[in-house]
Structures are given as C-alpha cells and as structure tokens.
C-alpha cells in the first residue's frame, strides 16, 4: 500500500497481487488517524536477580531477554534455566617456536607491558610469568614457549599484542645473528 500524487490528486494505491482488481481511493475518502506509542519499556527481573529488590538508582546487571513482547533481566547463572543456551569458559593455548633466552623474553615484555609478574613454580611445571593477570607465558622446552589465556575480549587483546611482540623479538634476534 502506498500514497501516490498523480496530477495534484493524492491517491492511495492498494495492490494485493491477486486476481481481483486493484482499489484506488481518493485522498478525501481516506480517514486520518494518529497513533501514540509509549516509549517506556518495562523489564522484569527473574530468579536470582529478583531475590533482592534494587534500591532507586542501583544498577542491575544481567542479560536482557525479549520473549513474546515482554522483557526479562536474568543473571548469567539462570540463562540455562530459561533458554537452551549454556555458558562455558574457554581457555586458549598457542605454542610458539622460540629459541632465545626465556629471561630475555620476560625482560623485553616488561619493557612493553606494565604488569609482567613471575608465577610460582607450584602453578606451572617450569618457569612462567603472567602478563596483566590475563595471560601466562610458559617455558616448554629449549625451542618452544606456550601462551595460555581465557577467551574473553580483554585476554584476547592482551594475547594478540604479546604474540605480535614475541614475533617482533624473534625478528630482531634473527636479524642480529
């Protein structure tokens, strides 16, 4: 359905692509009406978030779920109860060929990143250090190191920058040899 202005006459065209003839209505035959919509949305908190009534101005954190024109806010732990979705923690690992000294790598990464801390030997089998508490760099062998991180946006950003830094350090090491 659309409005057409033909020779100064406004006509509402309603074509339904059936075998019936199309209907043309002059603008004088069209009734004017107005629709008003309330722009406020209401969301109900459910399960764990509904256990405690929030104070005025208090922030409620959770997932906003729209279902059949209703909105619900739920905690991450309740997601599997109300949907077929589940949450998992994914950890990622990459092994990089690195034949340089592990202490040199740690020193170079300390120059680039603010927080590079040694990890106790109980947490890892060999020497290891953490970068921004998001990434662990482990000494695997004389020719390999491995990086371990959780799969979340900040950890992935840190791991990408550490991997690029390690590759640049490798380029510098090989160019001087």
């Amino acid at each position: 359905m659309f409005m057409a202005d033909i020779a100064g006459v406004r006509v509402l065209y309603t074509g339904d692509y059936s075998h019936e003839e199309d209907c043309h209505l002059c603008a004088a035959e069209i009734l004017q009406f107005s629709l008003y919509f309330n722009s406020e949305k209401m969301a109900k908190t459910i399960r764990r978030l509904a256990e405690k009534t929030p104070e005025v101005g208090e922030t409620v954190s959770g997932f906003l779920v729209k279902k059949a024109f209703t909105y619900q806010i739920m905690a991450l732990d309740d997601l599997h109860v109300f949907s077929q979705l589940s949450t998992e923690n994914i950890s990622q690992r990459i092994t990089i060929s690195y034949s340089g000294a592990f202490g040199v790598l740690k020193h170079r990464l300390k120059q680039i990143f603010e927080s590079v801390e040694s990890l106790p030997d109980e947490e890892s089998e060999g020497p290891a250090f953490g970068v921004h508490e998001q990434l662990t760099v482990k000494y695997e062998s004389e020719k390999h190191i491995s990086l371990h991180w959780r799969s979340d946006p900040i950890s992935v950003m840190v791991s990408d920058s550490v991997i690029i830094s390690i590759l640049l350090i490798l380029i510098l090491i090989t160019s001087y040899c």
Side-chain angles (χ1 to χ4, degrees):
M1 183 179 341
F2 62 91
M3 180 73 70
D5 191 0
I6 302 170
V9 177
R10 290 176 51 189
V11 175
L12 180 66
Y13 175 76
T14 59
D16 62 357
Y17 304 106
S18 67
H19 297 294
E20 298 176 15
E21 289 190 26
D22 293 336
C23 178
H24 301 275
L25 302 173
C26 292
E29 299 173 21
I30 301 170
L31 298 175
Q32 287 191 351
F33 62 93
S34 298
L35 296 175
Y36 297 98
F37 296 97
N38 184 0
S39 63
E40 293 181 10
K41 302 282 187 216
M42 182 182 296
K44 294 180 183 178
T45 56
I46 54 176
R47 298 246 335 167
R48 292 188 187 169
L49 291 180
E51 290 174 355
K52 178 184 160 236
T53 305
E55 300 294 325
V56 176
E58 184 180 347
T59 302
V60 177
S61 297
F63 283 100
L64 179 65
V65 178
K66 180 181 175 187
K67 183 178 181 183
F69 300 103
T70 62
Y71 295 91
Q72 298 173 333
I73 300 175
M74 66 180 69
L76 175 64
D77 299 335
D78 297 331
L79 187 61
H80 72 279
V81 175
F82 292 97
S83 71
Q84 296 177 354
L85 301 175
S86 64
T87 57
E88 296 295 329
N89 291 325
I90 299 173
S91 55
Q92 297 181 333
R93 175 187 173 176
I94 187 171
T95 302
I96 300 175
S97 175
Y98 180 80
S99 57
F102 193 66
V104 171
L105 175 65
K106 181 179 175 184
H107 175 72
R108 293 291 183 198
L109 290 177
K110 270 187 177 179
Q111 291 176 331
I112 299 170
F113 299 98
E114 291 176 3
S115 175
V116 176
E117 304 293 328
S118 293
L119 297 177
D121 289 336
E122 298 93 40
E123 293 182 21
S124 60
E125 293 81 36
F129 59 87
V131 179
H132 287 292
E133 298 178 359
Q134 303 290 327
L135 173 86
T136 303
V137 180
K138 291 183 180 179
Y139 179 80
E140 297 290 335
S141 69
E142 292 180 6
K143 296 189 178 189
H144 296 96
I145 58 171
S146 65
L147 282 67
H148 306 261
W149 67 94
R150 290 181 319 274
S151 185
D152 63 61
I154 295 174
S155 297
V156 169
M157 180 180 64
V158 171
S159 68
D160 288 346
S161 59
V162 168
I163 290 169
I164 293 297
S165 301
I166 291 172
L167 294 176
L168 288 174
I169 291 169
L170 284 172
I171 290 172
L172 289 173
I173 289 172
T174 56
S175 66
Y176 287 121
C177 292

